Amino acid sequence: MKVLITGAAGLVGNHLARRLASAHDVAALTHSDLDITDRDAVRRIVADLRPELVYNCAVLQVDECEQNPNKAESVNATGPRYLAEAAHRIGAEIVQFSTQYAFAGEPIGRDPYTLKDEPQPVNAYGRTKVAGERAVREACARSYIVRTSWVYGSSKNSFLCVVHDDLKAGRKVRAIDDIWSSTTYVEDLIDRCLEITRRKRCQRGSLHLLRIRS
Ligand SMILES: NC(=O)c1ccc[n+]([C@@H]2O[C@H](COP(=O)([O-])OP(=O)(O)OC[C@H]3O[C@@H](n4cnc5c(N)ncnc54)[C@H](OP(=O)(O)O)[C@@H]3O)[C@@H](O)[C@H]2O)c1
């Protein structure tokens, strides 16, 4: 299968590209290869490559979204719409990653959020990611929205990786203790994405992929 990955230098995009490369014809495009907010470039590249499946892994992260809400809207909502429109035009499927920040906060004292819960984002990152979900759903009938949470894995420093390294080196670990979250190992996230797109197992639409606390 021909697969296009955008934001391919990031945590999810990088791991996805490596996993898919052995079995598929993968175009893994980094930010410098394709800026998803450039509508003409998106149209041209999707029309030239003609992928059957697009994974959009490009994102503007939380802090930058607060500092620059216009850029957040552009990268997290408008860019995904351009990609979804281009995918739709050639009959391709698109996977758009989204986030636990679609919701108002940690579900303390209640069950974890489900797809029945209405999004209630409280920051620029969450608002623009929810807008991106909507834009992709509207622009491409063959779309999957995959919400995940606290993704970790090699190639990007995260709290979990730093703690692991510190403990191994016998260093004292410093941690915040007023926040909790479901964490998601990047390879597990990719396993589920591959399963979903391969077997069309879950109907197209939105999915929550993360590890629920046991
Ligand atoms: N990591 C998590 O904990 C987590 C949790 C929940 C959901 N997610 C979702 O998972 C997806 C992937 O996240 P990630 O953790 O892999 O992000 P990441 O490591 O920050 O990678 C994002 C990539 O997007 C690129 N990018 C930024 N603006 C772009 C643009 N305009 N056009 C093309 N590429 C652009 C960045 O390149 P530059 O750095 O060069 O700008 C970067 O390589 C996102 O949709 C995110 O919302 C992640």
Side-chain angles (χ1 to χ4, degrees):
M1 183 167 31
K2 210 159 186 185
V3 182
L4 169 62
I5 301 172
T6 56
L11 174 63
V12 176
N14 174 346
H15 282 258
L16 196 53
R18 276 193 272 167
R19 282 284 293 282
L20 289 171
S22 56
H24 299 281
D25 178 4
V26 180
L29 304 187
T30 65
H31 192 171
S32 54
D33 298 323
L34 174 64
D35 178 346
I36 65 163
T37 67
D38 180 343
R39 186 182 214 164
D40 291 340
V42 167
R43 281 188 177 175
R44 191 178 58 250
I45 284 183
V46 171
D48 284 352
L49 294 174
R50 299 197 70 78
E52 295 156 79
L53 178 59
V54 178
Y55 282 99
N56 178 29
C57 302
V59 69
L60 197 71
Q61 287 291 357
V62 182
D63 292 345
E64 231 185 316
C65 286
E66 291 306 314
Q67 288 153 13
N68 195 340
N70 289 339
K71 189 172 174 192
E73 181 71 24
S74 173
V75 178
N76 293 347
T78 310
R81 177 156 57 79
Y82 294 159
L83 276 171
E85 286 170 351
H88 183 70
R89 205 165 292 127
I90 58 163
E93 295 186 311
I94 182 165
V95 176
Q96 166 71 10
F97 289 100
S98 194
T99 165
Q100 80 274 21
Y101 283 92
F103 301 110
E106 299 152 10
I108 292 169
R110 50 153 286 169
D111 290 336
Y113 291 110
T114 73
L115 293 171
K116 290 194 180 126
D117 289 301
E118 277 299 314
Q120 259 190 320
V122 294
N123 59 11
Y125 176 73
R127 278 191 294 276
T128 55
K129 290 297 290 180
V130 170
E133 295 181 6
R134 209 172 297 124
V136 167
R137 219 180 285 122
E138 284 168 6
C140 183
R142 309 183 70 199
S143 59
Y144 302 90
I145 309 299
V146 174
R147 288 188 189 135
T148 186
S149 159
W150 267 42
V151 184
Y152 68 97
S154 62
S155 81
K156 188 173 178 181
N157 249 354
S158 66
F159 172 69
L160 288 171
C161 298
V162 171
V163 166
H164 175 260
D165 290 348
D166 281 351
L167 289 175
K168 250 176 100 178
R171 285 191 293 266
K172 206 168 173 181
V173 171
R174 287 170 57 84
I176 44 171
D177 63 1
D178 60 349
I179 187 170
W180 62 268
S181 181
S182 296
T183 56
T184 311
Y185 179 44
V186 66
E187 298 294 345
D188 290 341
L189 172 66
I190 291 169
D191 282 344
R192 296 286 83 74
C193 288
L194 298 184
E195 190 181 335
I196 289 157
T197 51
R198 188 173 57 238
R199 297 165 63 177
K200 318 276 184 231
R201 186 172 139 154
C202 304
Q203 288 168 353
R204 291 187 189 94
S206 300
L207 301 139
H208 284 180
L209 293 186
L210 45 86
R211 187 165 180 276
I212 305 294
R213 291 183 314 157
S214 54

